Amino acid sequence: MAPYPPPRNNQQTSQQTLTDVAKKPLRDRLRYQFPYDQEEKFPAYIWQTWKVTPASGDFGDDLRPAEASWTEQHPGFVHEVVTDQTAVHLIRYLYASIPEIQEAYNSLPLPVLKADFFRYLILLARGGIYTDIDTTALKSATEWIPQEVPRSTIGLVIGIEADPDRPDWKEWYSRRVQFCQWTIQAKPGHPILRDIVATITEDALRMKKQNILKLNTLDKSIVEFTGPAVWTDHVFRYMNNPEYFSMKEGGRNITYENFTGIETAKKVGDVVVLPITSFSPGVQQMGAKDTDDPMAFVKHDFEGRCMNLCLATTLTCFVLGSWKPESERIKSVNNN
């Protein structure tokens, strides 16, 4: 499988009026508004979201070391912790010309859905690194990609969240290999981000029209609607999209088999996939190594994020998605 360079959409062959653009399908408008240039540098932004900023006395002391680690590991980067209220204004500004994006975001009934959607929206529009508030930067993002790989050939860096090589994997995870979305590095306009933003928008507005975009009537779980399942699906859809990739004669589609068990970074087209150790070190399962391993880049407090989001929504995460507490996962794995 040989990748074609993604289209340089910022080079318009003919002048288009705003009226012409407004009539185009959602994905085409997103492509026009946020063109993708693979050869540009990764923007030096770090984006996080929380209820308050670190300047507030209400910002939890337990979160401060993790939040500070990103600034310490990335001097010179712009590091923003975006509050819920600020996110609304930021999306209104960035997506002023695409009102259905704003409508979809504002209509989402749960904070966790908005938090998921926001990461894709901010990376599509501005690029950089999105990372959950309870993640700790163990190494600078400058070390995530092998030095021999030209940065001008990469537009997205992701990590593996789950690689459960066991018969009952469906009881624990939504996908056989699942990509995490608690930490993502991207260049603005990347086609995967454009596609998932469009999909979530379309699903949200469809459910709103059907009057089921409510807490107890959603027709998709959180992980399938905005979380790691739909994220994983869009990554694989991109890798198998003939618009961007050309299959060699006798070639095969890209599937989980291309990533299961990897211990070093793997590049597919303009996407770098990091092994499970990189963003999930120390989980004591699925081949993940400890936090002192050379490939350990980001540490994530799995239970902390889920607990905080669930307390905010009076839900338990596993009700609406394929999630179990880390202690149960490890116990179950060790007992088999």
Side-chain angles (χ1 to χ4, degrees), residues 38-42 141-155 187 270:
Q38 177 184 295
E39 295 181 359
E40 73 175 11
K41 293 182 179 180
F42 280 100
T142 59
E143 301 181 49
W144 295 359
I145 304 171
Q147 289 298 318
E148 63 271 17
V149 179
R151 271 51 177 175
S152 62
T153 67
I154 303 167
K187 293 176 181 177
D270 64 344

Side-chain angles (χ1 to χ4, degrees), residues 160-222:
I160 292 175
E161 172 185 2
D163 185 9
D165 186 12
R166 45 186 292 164
D168 62 346
W169 65 266
K170 289 185 178 180
E171 296 181 18
W172 303 90
Y173 291 97
S174 299
R175 302 294 183 267
R176 172 57 183 80
V177 162
Q178 187 164 288
F179 300 121
C180 75
Q181 32 91 276
W182 60 72
T183 302
I184 304 169
Q185 184 180 31
K187 293 176 181 177
H190 194 279
I192 294 177
L193 295 167
R194 181 173 66 234
D195 195 26
I196 195 169
V197 163
T199 295
I200 293 172
T201 300
E202 291 163 351
D203 280 344
L205 296 182
R206 172 186 57 79
M207 284 189 265
K208 181 179 180 181
K209 185 177 181 179
Q210 296 172 348
N211 200 31
I212 60 172
L213 192 60
K214 301 175 183 178
L215 176 60
N216 297 317
T217 58
L218 297 174
D219 62 9
K220 289 189 172 185
S221 69
I222 290 175

Side-chain angles (χ1 to χ4, degrees), residues 4-245:
Y4 286 125
R8 297 289 294 274
N9 300 312
N10 55 330
Q11 298 178 352
Q12 302 295 323
T13 57
S14 60
Q15 188 70 29
Q16 299 185 69
T17 67
L18 292 178
T19 302
D20 292 335
V21 174
K23 294 178 180 178
K24 289 182 176 295
L26 177 56
R27 283 171 176 78
D28 289 344
R29 281 181 284 145
L30 289 169
R31 184 196 298 258
Y32 179 87
Q33 188 71 26
F34 306 109
Y36 174 50
D37 184 356
Q38 177 184 295
E39 295 181 359
E40 73 175 11
K41 293 182 179 180
F42 280 100
Y45 295 131
I46 297 170
W47 305 100
Q48 296 185 287
T49 59
W50 195 237
K51 293 169 285 187
V52 295
T53 70
S56 169
D58 294 328
F59 191 84
D61 290 340
D62 57 329
L63 295 175
R64 291 189 183 277
E67 185 271 337
S69 71
W70 287 94
T71 297
E72 293 165 0
Q73 290 286 352
H74 300 87
F77 277 55
V78 175
H79 182 185
E80 295 285 351
V81 177
V82 181
T83 66
D84 296 342
Q85 184 177 8
T86 301
V88 173
H89 297 297
L90 188 55
I91 290 169
R92 184 185 304 158
Y93 169 73
L94 295 173
Y95 291 87
S97 64
I98 311 176
E100 57 262 60
I101 299 287
Q102 302 175 53
E103 180 184 358
Y105 179 84
N106 293 329
S107 299
L108 294 175
L110 297 171
V112 63
L113 296 173
K114 290 185 175 181
D116 280 341
F117 197 18
F118 178 82
R119 72 196 64 197
Y120 309 131
L121 291 169
I122 196 64
L123 290 176
L124 175 63
R126 288 292 181 263
I129 298 169
Y130 170 85
T131 191
D132 278 356
I133 198 67
D134 61 351
T135 59
T136 299
L138 302 177
K139 291 185 179 180
S140 169
T142 59
E143 301 181 49
W144 295 359
I145 304 171
Q147 289 298 318
E148 63 271 17
V149 179
R151 271 51 177 175
S152 62
T153 67
I154 303 167
L156 188 74
V157 181
I158 58 176
I160 292 175
E161 172 185 2
D163 185 9
D165 186 12
R166 45 186 292 164
D168 62 346
W169 65 266
K170 289 185 178 180
E171 296 181 18
W172 303 90
Y173 291 97
S174 299
R175 302 294 183 267
R176 172 57 183 80
V177 162
Q178 187 164 288
F179 300 121
C180 75
Q181 32 91 276
W182 60 72
T183 302
I184 304 169
Q185 184 180 31
K187 293 176 181 177
H190 194 279
I192 294 177
L193 295 167
R194 181 173 66 234
D195 195 26
I196 195 169
V197 163
T199 295
I200 293 172
T201 300
E202 291 163 351
D203 280 344
L205 296 182
R206 172 186 57 79
M207 284 189 265
K208 181 179 180 181
K209 185 177 181 179
Q210 296 172 348
N211 200 31
I212 60 172
L213 192 60
K214 301 175 183 178
L215 176 60
N216 297 317
T217 58
L218 297 174
D219 62 9
K220 289 189 172 185
S221 69
I222 290 175
V223 292
E224 299 283 350
F225 186 8
T226 61
V230 68
W231 172 243
T232 299
D233 290 349
H234 279 70
V235 172
F236 279 119
R237 183 157 76 180
Y238 175 72
M239 291 177 176
N240 291 288
N241 187 340
E243 181 181 356
Y244 302 106
F245 295 85

